[in-house]
Amino acid sequence: MSDPRRRIPGTDSVLGEPRIATAVRMLGRPLVKAAIAEAQRRARNGEIAPEDVVDAVVGHLPERACGLRPVINATGVLVHTNLGRAPLSDAARDAVTAAAGCTDVEFDLAEGRRARRGRGALAALAEAVPDAGAVHVVNNNAAALLLCALVMSRGREIVISRGELVEIGDGFRIPELLASTGARLREVGTTNRTHARDYAEALGPDTAFLLKVHASNFHISGFTAAADVAELAALGPPVVVDIGSGLLAPHPLLPDEPDAATALRAGAALVTASGDKLLGGPQAGLLLGEAGLVERLRRHPAARALRVDKLTLAALEATLRGPEPPVRTALAADESTVRERATRLAERLRAEGVPAEVLRTDSAVGGGGAPGVTLPSTAVGLPARYGPLLRTGVVPVVGRLERGRCLLDLRTIRAEEEQSVLESVLAARRSHTGRASGGNLDGGDGGDGGVRRDGGDCGDGSGGRESRDSRDGRDGRYGGDDQGSERPCR
């Protein structure tokens, strides 16, 4: 009998198959060849038949040449740092696609000459914040602050409250960021109380500017005090305000969240903000304020290193000019509408034999915005074992754990994603049922389908100990790397 390994097709033969040739055009030759080598290895080891090599290659190939995968955010955290913060609107996605090829990002088609880079996005931002004398965009909010310090305070002092020495994502700290520019920090006040007089007493010939940083990822309550922008502006030196979350104007649901328009009207010389939080756009650092200062920032050599690419400019302009982005839609979603959607989804799942419950819960803004603010919401509750199966499915769905249940919060699930969520849950149930290891995925009775109020305990899937964020006393499930430790279903 001949060795079956002799029937294993060679690499060139497999590459010649129509399906594989199409994959080479889409994914590139190196990635496809690696998949071929893996299928050939499996055939040599007797794991698959030689005739199945091509099918194995096709099954092993990714959908795209990028390792990032689209996921459905069912955590209830509107701006989830670990999931890429704000999802772009359809208009912004279309704009990114349009800008992906050659585009007029720095070219005037009518005049046939070089033009101001990103003029469309800058004009849209200026229109959105008419109180700003000028605007500029860099690659994130930390870069915006860095540029302010480089231009305005190298070798001089920045006066800042001790209560605003914030640590942001991945262990980076605002004080260390500013000090890296050669500026000196003059700390005033205390952790919980800082008055305008504390700033005034710190002023001197070396004062470059007063910095006010929004505590966007923690909340201090009780015996507290803070100087407002108008009080600081009255002291004389320029006031730079880092509002963090990117709220350009006041929002009725977030009365305590600072916004750019209010800060500028109160006398701020410059306002910095993020583009990918409450604004709902791409990652970007927004600089808004006095025309002369903004021009100095724009012309500094470091501005070139911090500039954004054409895709960011396209997405930012479409976010500012286009329809409401998903983050703003989720923020303003009516509680009764969310509950109705959750009820319909749970009913459809129960009709397929899935023990789905309807649970009242709370969502959060997340991503370094509106700390302490909760948004009433409704989730579909499933047995905890669904968590990892949903997370690793064909269409990953990331929920969160509370009291031993995997919750899928409808406030952060877009209406057009509901069918995918349904199919993912059913696929998870089928995949578990088909495993030889057995086990009860559904974990018992799903209840009578009524609406329950689920508490804030964030457990380990077994109703275990409560996980709390020590900074604001809330569940640890909400923050991302800016606001505590999120607890997705594990």
Side-chain angles (χ1 to χ4, degrees):
M1 183 180 295
S2 62
D3 189 339
R5 290 176 296 183
R6 294 182 180 274
R7 304 199 310 275
I8 297 174
T11 300
D12 289 340
S13 174
V14 177
L15 286 170
E17 290 284 334
R19 288 182 295 168
I20 306 302
T22 299
V24 170
R25 290 193 296 272
M26 296 294 296
L27 303 174
R29 191 179 181 91
L31 194 154
V32 174
K33 286 187 68 176
I36 293 172
E38 172 62 17
Q40 291 169 331
R41 181 197 65 78
R42 294 178 63 197
R44 285 193 296 271
N45 292 343
E47 299 173 24
I48 61 174
E51 294 76 19
D52 294 334
V53 165
V54 173
D55 287 340
V57 172
V58 173
H60 186 72
L61 290 172
E63 291 185 26
R64 54 189 63 84
C66 170
L68 293 176
R69 297 180 61 189
V71 306
I72 294 176
N73 176 11
T75 65
V77 180
L78 276 59
V79 182
H80 197 307
T81 300
N82 306 137
L83 300 182
R85 288 190 176 166
L88 296 180
S89 66
D90 290 340
R93 297 183 193 203
D94 288 343
V96 168
T97 300
C102 293
T103 183
D104 59 343
V105 63
E106 257 183 70
F107 188 72
D108 187 323
L109 293 171
E111 299 292 333
R113 65 179 66 178
R114 184 172 182 172
R116 174 79 179 272
R117 180 180 178 86
R119 57 201 178 279
L122 294 173
L125 182 57
E127 292 168 12
V129 191
D131 294 285
V135 300
H136 187 57
V137 180
V138 290
N139 54 22
N140 63 20
N141 191 37
L145 271 183
L146 184 78
L147 193 57
C148 289
L150 282 170
V151 171
M152 301 172 64
S153 60
R154 187 172 181 85
R156 301 179 67 197
E157 288 186 345
I158 300 172
V159 182
I160 183 172
S161 167
R162 290 187 173 90
E164 298 174 4
L165 299 174
V166 177
E167 179 176 308
I168 54 178
D170 201 24
F172 288 96
R173 295 173 172 174
I174 293 297
E176 295 169 359
L177 176 78
L178 297 172
S180 72
T181 68
R184 302 190 306 274
L185 296 186
R186 181 72 180 270
E187 301 173 14
V188 298
T190 64
T191 302
N192 61 316
R193 292 177 70 82
T194 304
H195 305 275
R197 66 175 180 271
D198 296 316
Y199 293 88
E201 291 169 359
L203 299 183
D206 283 344
T207 301
F209 63 86
L210 311 183
L211 176 59
K212 188 164 183 61
V213 179
H214 175 46
S216 60
N217 58 5
F218 67 97
H219 177 69
I220 299 176
S221 61
F223 187 56
T224 63
D228 61 33
V229 175
E231 290 179 295
L232 298 184
L235 298 179
V239 178
V240 177
V241 182
D242 172 10
I243 64 170
S245 63
L247 199 61
L248 300 186
H251 195 290
L253 294 177
L254 305 173
D256 297 325
E257 190 71 8
D259 66 275
T262 301
L264 290 169
R265 290 170 188 167
L270 285 171
V271 171
T272 72
S274 295
D276 57 351
K277 295 181 181 179
L278 288 174
L279 181 60
Q283 176 181 299
L286 312 181
L287 283 155
L288 319 160
E290 296 177 4
L293 277 177
V294 172
E295 183 63 15
R296 285 176 60 195
L297 299 175
R298 189 179 77 83
R299 299 308 305 167
H300 190 276
R304 173 76 180 203
L306 304 176
R307 80 176 190 177
V308 294
D309 72 329
K310 60 183 181 179
L311 303 183
T312 300
L313 290 168
L316 179 60
E317 181 178 0
T319 299
L320 291 164
R321 295 195 186 280
E324 185 177 67
V327 165
R328 301 298 288 265
T329 300
L331 179 64
D334 180 71
E335 182 183 359
S336 62
T337 301
V338 174
R339 183 167 61 251
E340 289 170 4
R341 292 174 55 210
T343 300
R344 286 196 302 268
L345 180 57
E347 288 173 349
R348 295 178 68 188
L349 288 170
R350 285 197 296 270
E352 298 289 341
V354 177
E357 299 175 273
V358 180
L359 305 173
R360 290 197 181 97
T361 187
D362 292 321
S363 299
V365 174
V373 174
T374 58
L375 304 168
S377 188
T378 308
V380 172
L382 303 172
R385 288 188 181 184
Y386 275 88
L389 295 174
L390 291 172
R391 196 179 64 244
T392 55
V394 175
V395 179
V397 178
V398 182
R400 72 176 189 266
L401 287 182
E402 284 188 7
R403 295 184 176 180
R405 303 291 286 174
C406 177
L407 301 192
L408 307 180
D409 193 323
L410 270 292
R411 185 175 285 275
T412 54
I413 298 173
R414 300 173 70 176
E416 57 267 32
E417 295 173 330
E418 288 181 30
Q419 182 63 29
S420 294
V421 172
L422 173 73
E423 293 171 359
S424 294
V425 173
L426 297 180
R429 191 168 191 266
R430 287 193 300 269
S431 69
H432 184 84
T433 303
R435 292 177 180 176
S437 59
N440 183 8
L441 175 63
D442 294 335
D445 185 11
D448 59 5
V451 179
R452 287 176 43 196
R453 177 79 195 183
D454 210 7
D457 292 4
C458 186
D460 59 2
S462 60
R465 64 180 182 177
E466 186 178 10
S467 173
R468 307 291 288 187
D469 185 328
S470 61
R471 289 171 294 182
D472 65 6
R474 295 177 52 215
D475 307 283
R477 67 184 181 269
Y478 283 134
D481 62 18
D482 281 346
Q483 195 176 330
S485 175
E486 284 154 353
R487 294 297 303 274
C489 294
R490 301 187 185 280

